[in-house]
Amino acid sequence: MNEVYTLEYNTERPKLFIPEYGRHFQKMVDHAVAIEDRDERNRVAQSIISVMGNLQPHLRDVPDFQHKLWDQLFIMSDFKLDVDSPFPITSKETLQQRPEPLEYPQNHPKYRFYGNNIKRMIDVAVNWEKGDMRSGLEYAIANHMKKCYLTWNKDTVEDTVIFNHLKELSDGQIDLAKSDESLTESGQFLKNRPSRSNTSSNRGKKSQRGRKKRY
């Protein structure tokens, strides 16, 4: 019964600064911090670094591998370990600094069903020299716009609608309405799109398969 009362629970133990190394490794670091003789403390710290390197042999070829190990050693000691490090010691305040928040692009396109990539493609096309390659890109963009339109809107759309949208998004620099060529037929895009009835019926079949019959 006495052994039961002397058991240690994780909730009562000190916090692990780097849990990946485990409790025994943390005790080794705490022992090094408590050593009074500086030479002996340096020797123990070097031994701990060697063991840390043996635990991660796959990182030996990583640049600054030793520097990372020393940083981890100081982190596990809560920066209380006073030894001669071969690398500059990173301060606790530096590690606790938070990075600056990223500035996410705030795009609010007028025609959201086309997506932001379409606008980027249009911006690239208007910078190309006029010719066959630019013309081919413009019609590729228009066809993709038509496909996006059919996916999120109706089952048919006139080419003039796509041409007007393309002209508006390009600030009037791409005008395909004057051309005699037409875009891919709506039916070609709709062939590859699963119908809603089939999707709903498949969902119904799956739900019926998962149900158990009751008698």
Side-chain angles (χ1 to χ4, degrees), residues 15 17-18 21-22 25-26 29-30 33 48 52 69 71-79:
K15 176 185 176 181
F17 293 97
I18 304 181
Y21 283 105
F25 216 99
Q26 183 65 51
V29 178
D30 295 339
V33 174
I48 294 175
M52 293 171 66
L69 293 181
D71 285 342
Q72 292 176 349
L73 178 60
F74 288 113
I75 292 173
M76 284 188 289
S77 69
D78 197 19
F79 297 91

Side-chain angles (χ1 to χ4, degrees), residues 19-36:
E20 289 79 2
Y21 283 105
R23 177 70 55 183
H24 294 292
F25 216 99
Q26 183 65 51
K27 290 182 177 180
M28 292 170 57
V29 178
D30 295 339
H31 170 69
V33 174
I35 297 175
E36 295 182 359

Side-chain angles (χ1 to χ4, degrees), residues 17-198:
F17 293 97
I18 304 181
E20 289 79 2
Y21 283 105
R23 177 70 55 183
H24 294 292
F25 216 99
Q26 183 65 51
K27 290 182 177 180
M28 292 170 57
V29 178
D30 295 339
H31 170 69
V33 174
I35 297 175
E36 295 182 359
D37 184 63
R38 185 176 184 83
D39 294 335
E40 178 67 13
R41 196 163 57 244
N42 283 325
R43 187 184 66 80
V44 173
Q46 291 286 351
S47 301
I48 294 175
I49 291 294
S50 299
V51 177
M52 293 171 66
N54 292 333
L55 292 176
Q56 305 180 65
H58 59 286
L59 295 177
R60 289 188 179 275
D61 296 332
V62 176
D64 299 332
F65 173 64
Q66 289 291 325
H67 195 176
K68 293 179 181 179
L69 293 181
W70 280 96
D71 285 342
Q72 292 176 349
L73 178 60
F74 288 113
I75 292 173
M76 284 188 289
S77 69
D78 197 19
F79 297 91
K80 298 176 182 178
L81 184 62
D82 184 15
V83 292
D84 299 327
S85 172
F87 304 97
I89 301 176
T90 305
S91 65
K92 187 176 183 179
E93 292 73 17
T94 302
L95 291 176
Q96 291 179 344
Q97 287 180 355
R98 294 187 176 182
E100 295 294 331
L102 293 175
E103 296 182 0
Y104 288 93
Q106 301 296 327
N107 295 327
H108 303 285
K110 181 177 180 180
Y111 306 108
R112 295 189 176 183
F113 45 85
Y114 290 136
N116 292 325
N117 289 333
I118 283 292
K119 187 63 174 68
R120 297 189 183 99
M121 294 170 64
I122 293 173
D123 294 338
V124 171
V126 296
N127 290 324
W128 283 16
E129 295 183 3
K130 292 187 178 180
D132 294 338
M133 292 187 63
R134 172 170 171 171
S135 178
L137 178 59
E138 290 174 352
Y139 273 94
I141 293 173
N143 272 309
H144 192 68
M145 290 174 63
K146 186 174 183 178
K147 181 179 179 181
C148 294
Y149 190 100
L150 294 172
T151 301
W152 298 106
N153 291 279
K154 303 177 181 179
D155 291 337
T156 183
V157 59
E158 296 294 333
D159 291 352
T160 54
V161 175
I162 303 298
F163 293 155
N164 291 334
H165 289 174
L166 179 57
K167 182 179 180 180
E168 181 180 355
L169 293 174
S170 64
D171 296 329
Q173 299 187 59
I174 300 178
D175 187 5
L176 301 181
K178 301 177 181 179
S179 176
D180 296 334
E181 297 187 27
S182 57
L183 301 177
T184 304
E185 294 292 334
S186 301
Q188 292 296 114
F189 293 123
L190 297 176
K191 281 183 180 179
N192 299 326
R193 189 182 71 178
S195 61
R196 297 178 181 177
S197 58
N198 292 337

